[in-house]
Amino acid sequence: MAAQQQQNIDGFLAAENEAAKVILETVKKDGFILVFSHLDADGVAAAGVMGKMLSRLDARFRIRVMQWVDEKIIGEVIADKPQLVILTDFGSGYLDLLNEKIPNVKVVILDHHQTTSKVVNPNFTQVNPHLFGIDGATDVSGSGVAYFAAKAVNVSNVDLAPIALVGALGDMQDKYEQRSLRSLNEIIVNDGVAAGLLKVEKDLIFFGRETRPIYKMLATTTNPFIPGLSGQETESLNFVANLGIPLKQGDKPRSLCDLTADERKRLCSALADYLLSKGLHLEVDNLIGYVYVLTKEEPNTALRDAREFAVVLNSAGRMDRPSLGIAICMGDRKAALEESNKILEDYRKNINKYLGWVAEKPERMRELQNIYVIYGENFINEKIIGTVSSIIVSSLANNEKPLFAFANIEAEKAAKFSGRTTEAALRRGVNLGDVMRLASEAHGGKGGGHNIAAGAQVPLDKLDAFLKTADELVGRQLKGEKLASHDNA
Ligand code: C5P
Ligand code: C5P
Ligand code: ZN
């Protein structure tokens, strides 16, 4: 590892030690701790890590999961008078607000979003990879930052490493070669392997490795996309059957994880030949990647594959049942797990309904000069708009134009925006976190996030003005301009 990189990591871990110290001091005085976390897979995983760490300390605490920090939450903090507030998977974007409203409350922030705040307050302890030259979009997630704090509190918390990886994969941090995790995430992988809880394998990289019948797995894949098989169940079934690979073992459908080494090899080379015959040389490289197996989980369950586990947590968080996800992270394998399977099914149905709805009428997705916009309005749930945005961005023909999807939050007379973009756009200079922050603040809203994925809340009556500004700001970034913190169009 390069010396500079090691120095960055050392600085980051020293900050984690500071956070651990504050947590331990509070627990020692029997202080009450309020934990707030973000509602996606990474946020729920971070909440699970905190929950396990605090219950092991016999601490008095409560966990709340939400989409963002706002005045309501500040009100809750003021009413409950906790001795410590811990924010996981968000917080760095709210430093100014916290400093203005609750400057005297002790706060620990364990986050990985970009931040521009200059606030220094001795009551606030912030751990964020960006402060140490580490990219929070790819190298460590919110649950990873929470994990290193838990490990600094007590090294026995290394058994939470698999949960932290689930969070990283939920945030799509497997952006390195062959979908591997690197940097701080790799340290967590190594901890999990050393603790005997995790196995890293190279395999065909389809989603549903543990739970989907092989042909269904092929038919539902969008990444890699296989023309003629993706979306085609019958063709996929014939493809597998023609290779002499039995589809069932007794009554039980076989999944990718059930294949023998020889069957797997046959499937892999047949897929490669098939893609080459279609002239898709590049796609062949995307067939194989790193998979992260939670070895203590039952085979053929969603919790055994870290990517499938992440979707379980995402569905719990976004379907208003985050406590189910937290319970699973903390070890519940009975009632919570059973119920989460039902929630997952409903979640998938909702997503399919939304994708169908968007495709139905052209005015639901419009193309501006530099961005696409999905008008989810009152149809798409504002907690699921992020997932819809993530799915649709990868299918856009012009993948240098970022996608801005929004849904209305009528009670607050606001629109919730979820922006997603691609590596190609990042290479051209797009940073959605900056665009969301600047464009929303220019129109009475609030926003921010990562370069590749960011969000905002904007007053409904400022919708068009916000979109115009965002379109212009992306245009300026595409021309190579780096936006300053005061820039707006
Ligand atoms: O708040 P948080 O960081 O947890 O959310 C990150 C979001 O950004 C996730 O919904 C994930 O899908 C998206 N993301 C992405 N590509 C990345 C990193 C994050 O699409 N490289
Ligand atoms: O909500 P959504 O999944 O679209 O958010 C994308 C990313 O932007 C997440 O990492 C989220 O935490 C972040 N975000 C933010 N500030 C907001 C809204 C979203 O930092 N106001
Ligand atoms: Zn996150």
Side-chain angles (χ1 to χ4, degrees), residues 171-247:
D171 264 9
M172 303 190 202
Q173 300 204 320
D174 50 347
K175 292 281 154 101
Y176 289 94
E177 204 186 325
Q178 293 196 301
R179 303 201 50 190
S180 59
L181 294 164
R182 289 275 178 263
S183 180
L184 287 166
N185 280 326
E186 195 173 10
I187 297 178
I188 308 175
V189 170
N190 293 337
D191 282 357
V193 171
L197 302 170
L198 198 73
K199 204 165 54 176
V200 184
E201 292 175 2
K202 262 195 190 178
D203 196 1
L204 285 159
I205 192 79
F206 297 103
F207 187 83
R209 171 172 206 269
E210 295 284 341
T211 60
R212 289 194 181 161
I214 310 167
Y215 72 94
K216 284 208 175 156
M217 176 192 83
L218 288 182
T220 49
T221 184
T222 49
N223 179 22
F225 185 85
I226 309 181
L229 296 182
S230 293
Q232 317 274 343
E233 264 194 24
T234 315
E235 282 75 1
S236 296
L237 191 141
N238 291 336
F239 187 88
V240 180
N242 285 340
L243 297 172
I245 296 175
L247 293 165

Side-chain angles (χ1 to χ4, degrees), residues 26 35 106 174 187 297 315 438 470 482:
T26 310
V35 181
K106 270 211 179 317
D174 50 347
I187 297 178
E297 303 295 343
S315 66
L438 293 166
K482 197 165 165 13

